[in-house]
Amino acid sequence: MDRVSTPALSAEQEELYRLIEDTREHVFVTGRAGTGKSTLLNHLARHTEKQIAVCAPTGVAALNVEGQTIHSLFKLPIGLIGSKDEPQTDATRKLLNAIDTLVIDEISMVNADVMDAVDRALRTARGRRSEPFGGAQVVMFGDPYQLAPVPPRGDEARYIADHYRSFWFFDAHVWAGSAADADGLLDVGTYGAELHIRELRDIHRQSDPAFKAMLNAVRHGRVTADIAQMLNDTGARTPPEPVDGETPIITLATRNDRVSAINKRYLDALPGRAQNAVAEVNGDFGRGDAYPADVDLELKVGAQVMFLRNDTGSFGEPPRWVNGTIGTVTRIAGGTVRVDVDGEEHDVEPAVWEKFRYAYEPSTKALTREIVAEFTQFPLRLAWAVTIHKSQGKTYDRAVIDLGSGAFAPGQTYVALSRLTALDGLYLTRPLRPRDIQVDPDVQRFMAGVRAPAP
């Protein structure tokens, strides 16, 4: 990545950065929502002196960190990988052999068999079969309490059950102390890697200690009757109607169809004709679910929108908006969309998302990144409502949380609640129920070794 200005690190982030930069330790960086995991990752990617490759399990996640998908970087097949080595070209071997540090974002979405396939690929490419990851350092970012991998089904689920303690990345065989090691299937002395878990504890999103404690209880599935009553009593309010140009409060919902219905209802209610902006896609950007924004963006003056990436305006100037900022469209003309953000209007132009691929440069023996595809679209999305999944990483002062018939994934309610900066910004479409607070038991087992932050 280019060396550009990044936010200053806190003391605990700086300490963790030095651990990663000054050692060869394998590190899992975790922490509650709002502790600055992304800030640390971006700082590492831009300032490290090591040869670094950044990847993520999905196309959108890879775009967010200006990296490559795991499957693309390691040339892995889609679906269950099993225990066989995948064939490697000479170019792939040279590329993987040049990596000092492999960074994986959203690691909680990576299945155990994929983690082991990454290990085998690095061992094979680097000719160091007895060393975990072929001697490369692996640094992972994520929070298992928030995002889970897609559970395998059918024969794939039966294979995982026969070979792994769970499908989570932390139960991959490469890690010392995995279920396979404990059963004596692997020689830990030559195979198992030690994983150093480091939890960021300073929360930057919320400041109220009581609300932090409530969120921590939801995260760990330890919600008492008093906490549930406080959340439900606070949220049992009708959202106020916007006045004096205010934007309606955003709704965070569990399902795509609910989000689409809310956005369509509000858009149709606005006067005037809708205008469409069609994205320009160049190169092999993958399938539609890998796109970072709508291919066909429908807008009207008065539409509530959310920015999908940080402002890249003048160097040294504070950003006019960040990923997740909410605003209102005031004008559509001349190839720009004018958006009002907190009473100040900005002309927004189409943004270009670049899809990268790592390559090896023999003359310099260094990793390089090349652009293989581009996606051009206004960095905006209709935002009267958004799915809880797509709200990941965002911050809101106020939000309506719509869990519908119930949270259907572990961590879903925690993700929704932890987007808020304060308790008084919470509105619930219905009271929280015990089954809305789901924590995966495998996550509880793995994270038991991490000292929980004090409330």
Side-chain angles (χ1 to χ4, degrees):
M1 292 187 180
D2 297 333
R3 295 175 182 267
V4 298
S5 176
T6 54
L9 298 183
S10 66
E12 70 167 357
Q13 289 171 328
E14 179 64 32
E15 181 181 1
L16 189 44
Y17 171 68
R18 295 276 31 122
L19 170 67
I20 296 168
E21 184 70 3
D22 298 341
T23 75
R24 304 289 301 168
E25 306 287 3
H26 304 301
V27 183
F28 170 44
V29 180
T30 189
R32 290 180 283 176
T35 50
K37 296 182 292 293
S38 296
T39 298
L40 177 58
L41 188 156
N42 291 332
H43 184 91
L44 171 67
R46 297 183 188 282
H47 297 282
T48 182
E49 297 297 330
K50 298 177 179 179
Q51 295 222 86
I52 191 172
V54 182
C55 60
T58 68
V60 172
L63 287 173
N64 288 338
V65 291
E66 298 184 8
Q68 194 170 342
T69 66
I70 294 174
H71 286 77
S72 173
L73 178 62
F74 289 92
K75 301 299 185 288
L76 300 176
I78 301 299
L80 184 70
I81 296 176
S83 59
K84 293 183 179 179
D85 290 349
E86 296 298 326
Q88 293 179 338
T89 65
D90 186 56
T92 298
R93 283 193 296 271
K94 287 181 178 179
L95 187 157
L96 299 184
N97 201 49
I99 296 174
D100 293 324
T101 299
L102 175 70
V103 176
I104 307 176
D105 194 26
E106 303 290 15
I107 186 63
S108 63
M109 298 179 68
V110 176
N111 289 58
D113 62 308
V114 175
M115 192 83 248
D116 280 335
V118 168
D119 170 51
R120 289 194 305 273
L122 286 168
R123 291 179 193 244
T124 299
R126 300 160 76 91
R128 299 160 75 173
R129 300 286 300 189
S130 64
E131 291 187 65
F133 303 107
Q137 180 188 30
V138 175
V139 179
M140 300 167 290
F141 289 79
D143 182 7
Y145 286 109
Q146 295 187 56
L147 287 175
V150 177
R153 296 181 179 180
D155 288 341
E156 293 187 0
R158 286 184 281 274
Y159 177 90
I160 293 294
D162 285 343
H163 291 81
Y164 290 96
R165 187 170 182 176
S166 79
F167 53 79
W168 288 85
F169 77 94
F170 47 74
D171 280 328
H173 298 323
V174 65
W175 305 119
S178 70
D181 298 332
D183 292 339
L185 300 179
L186 299 171
D187 180 357
V188 180
T190 60
Y191 199 96
E194 184 178 358
L195 179 58
H196 297 264
I197 306 172
R198 295 292 183 269
E199 183 169 26
L200 293 169
R201 303 183 187 281
D202 296 339
I203 297 177
H204 308 285
R205 182 173 294 146
Q206 296 92 18
S207 58
D208 177 24
F211 188 41
K212 290 181 182 181
M214 292 179 200
L215 294 177
N216 195 46
V218 175
R219 182 179 191 239
H220 291 92
R222 301 169 185 163
V223 177
T224 64
D226 288 343
I227 292 174
Q229 183 174 351
M230 179 66 74
L231 291 169
N232 284 329
D233 287 350
T234 303
R237 299 169 293 160
T238 301
E241 291 296 324
V243 295
D244 299 329
E246 286 185 340
T247 57
I249 300 175
I250 191 170
T251 295
L252 310 183
T254 55
R255 303 182 62 87
N256 276 306
D257 55 358
R258 174 66 176 151
V259 167
S260 297
I262 292 172
N263 284 330
K264 186 177 188 306
R265 184 177 77 247
Y266 275 103
L267 188 69
D268 290 346
L270 291 174
R273 179 176 60 88
Q275 298 191 49
N276 290 64
V278 180
E280 180 181 344
V281 184
N282 294 308
D284 181 13
F285 215 94
R287 300 171 298 174
D289 57 2
Y291 293 155
D294 294 337
V295 173
D296 192 352
L297 176 63
E298 188 175 19
L299 295 176
K300 286 183 180 180
V301 170
Q304 179 164 299
V305 291
M306 179 174 68
F307 286 85
L308 299 178
R309 62 187 300 172
N310 295 343
D311 176 30
T312 56
S314 302
F315 183 81
E317 294 293 324
R320 296 167 295 174
W321 59 80
V322 296
N323 187 3
T325 293
I326 302 294
T328 304
V329 175
T330 59
R331 182 173 179 266
I332 307 172
T336 64
V337 176
R338 184 168 295 170
V339 179
D340 180 288
V341 177
D342 295 330
E344 188 172 349
E345 295 191 355
H346 307 287
D347 285 331
V348 182
E349 298 180 344
V352 180
W353 283 266
E354 298 169 333
K355 183 178 180 180
F356 293 97
R357 181 174 60 203
Y358 286 96
Y360 176 71
E361 178 53 56
S363 62
T364 60
K365 297 184 179 180
L367 288 178
T368 60
R369 287 192 313 162
E370 55 188 29
I371 299 170
V372 295
E374 293 181 333
F375 181 98
T376 304
Q377 178 60 288
F378 289 99
L380 302 169
R381 172 183 287 134
L382 292 178
W384 288 286
V386 66
T387 62
I388 293 172
H389 182 81
K390 287 182 179 177
S391 75
Q392 189 79 17
K394 309 296 191 299
T395 299
Y396 306 112
D397 292 330
R398 302 184 302 172
V400 177
I401 295 179
D402 182 355
L403 296 176
S405 59
F408 56 81
Q412 200 168 42
T413 300
Y414 171 65
V415 170
L417 292 172
S418 61
R419 301 308 96 199
L420 292 166
T421 58
L423 178 61
D424 61 10
L426 172 64
Y427 297 84
L428 295 170
T429 58
R430 64 159 176 81
L432 296 175
R433 303 165 185 158
R435 69 170 180 268
D436 293 324
I437 313 299
Q438 300 181 33
V439 182
D440 191 293
D442 289 306
V443 172
Q444 290 178 313
R445 164 178 55 83
F446 171 68
M447 295 294 286
V450 179
R451 181 174 59 85

